Amino acid sequence: MIPLSRRSTRKEVNRGSWTAEEDQKLAQVIEIHGPKRWKFVATKAGLNRCGKSCRLRWMNYLRPNIKRGNISDQEEDLILRLHRLLGNRWSLIAGRLPGRTDNEIKNYWNSHLSKKIKQRERQNRAVSKAEQESSDTKNIQIMEMNALTIGREDASKCEQSFKSGFNGDEFFDCSSDEGPLNLEWMNKFLEMDESWFTLHDI
DNA sequence: AAGTATACCAACCGCGAGCGC
DNA sequence: GGCGCTCGCGGTTGGTATACT
């Protein structure tokens, strides 16, 4: 049964799913006249379909050498690599995969691969966020330690600057009204014993 | 078993390019 | 150059199948 939404809404042409009979008629005409002049083919086949619809049916379903069924791992890998290279150029990608149609690859991408990629991106983001947070925590701990052991004022300035997006040029700007920061604490910091890091699990 | 959500995929639509007149 | 036609492409729709609750 032809689905409601794909039944003819305009009286001129059939729409919706193709029947076996229609497929057969179309294939017969194409065998004689070739897969071109689709409007002519549609008329010649006695199909109440537009040329466009006939072309699509032939290209995606009736054409010989069409490979149907599951996309292999190798094909999937190739699609991924080609998509990275070409973007949504489905016909070009399909051209590199014998027997596969652009529509099939597009569908496969939209239903499988795009999700896989999104999932992978989410994982990558989570990993880099965790790494960033861990690195931030370590840096803040170092600064807190400095505040306790050396110049509290300078270290707190450093921490503040770090939290609001560290900018080296700004932080070490000697032209400011305040004059150059007292970097003595940093020298002391650089001289610190490695054991402190172990002690603080950094 | 029934209802709902999600996945899959065939087909449609709109647009732009190419071609002949 | 302008127009109409055909073709091909990519995005979208919506029916069906399957999974889940």
Side-chain angles (χ1 to χ4, degrees):
Chain A
M1 191 177 107
I2 297 168
L4 265 174
S5 67
R6 290 189 197 144
R7 279 185 210 154
S8 178
T9 47
R10 291 174 225 161
K11 285 199 172 163
E12 315 87 71
V13 290
N14 278 349
R15 282 152 194 271
S17 301
W18 281 68
T19 63
E21 194 188 347
E22 284 179 312
D23 282 346
Q24 199 183 352
K25 282 180 181 173
L26 181 63
Q28 276 171 357
V29 172
I30 288 172
E31 202 176 327
I32 298 164
H33 301 281
K36 51 192 172 184
R37 294 166 65 212
W38 292 105
K39 203 172 176 180
F40 169 81
V41 166
T43 314
K44 200 78 186 168
L47 298 169
N48 202 18
R49 297 260 182 187
C50 66
K52 218 174 180 179
S53 179
C54 292
R55 177 190 162 271
L56 202 69
R57 185 63 179 170
W58 173 258
M59 299 299 279
N60 290 336
Y61 197 82
L62 298 174
R63 195 159 48 109
N65 304 325
I66 288 212
K67 207 192 275 181
R68 309 203 71 79
N70 294 342
I71 304 254
S72 68
D73 289 346
Q74 288 96 323
E75 284 176 313
E76 185 180 305
D77 183 55
L78 189 56
I79 293 168
L80 283 166
R81 282 189 285 142
L82 287 168
H83 187 271
R84 212 176 299 143
L85 201 68
L86 303 167
N88 293 2
R89 310 281 293 277
W90 306 117
S91 60
L92 284 177
I93 295 172
R96 296 279 166 191
L97 289 145
R100 299 293 184 186
T101 69
D102 54 353
N103 206 32
E104 191 179 12
I105 289 167
K106 181 173 59 182
N107 283 333
Y108 188 72
W109 179 270
N110 289 332
S111 56
H112 295 83
L113 299 182
S114 63
K115 282 173 203 162
K116 265 192 187 177
I117 282 173
K118 274 179 194 164
Q119 200 177 351
R120 208 176 291 170
E121 278 172 359
R122 264 203 303 274
Q123 281 170 352
N124 288 343
R125 269 202 299 275
V127 167
S128 60
K129 194 184 171 192
E131 283 171 357
Q132 182 62 45
E133 278 173 356
S134 153
S135 150
D136 287 357
T137 307
K138 282 180 187 176
N139 286 325
I140 288 168
Q141 280 174 344
I142 289 167
M143 289 163 191
E144 282 171 355
M145 176 271 293
N146 287 325
L148 288 169
T149 57
I150 321 156
R152 190 172 289 273
E153 200 181 305
D154 285 346
S156 103
K157 194 166 192 172
C158 174
E159 184 179 336
Q160 217 170 14
S161 168
F162 176 80
K163 279 177 177 168
S164 63
F166 181 76
N167 179 334
D169 293 336
E170 197 181 294
F171 186 74
F172 296 109
D173 183 10
C174 297
S175 63
S176 72
D177 292 336
E178 281 178 17
L181 287 164
N182 177 6
L183 299 177
E184 200 190 334
W185 65 268
M186 189 179 273
N187 292 330
K188 287 184 188 169
F189 165 64
L190 292 169
E191 288 162 15
M192 286 194 76
D193 189 353
E194 279 288 320
S195 61
W196 187 90
F197 293 90
T198 318
L199 188 70
H200 290 81
D201 196 27
I202 290 173

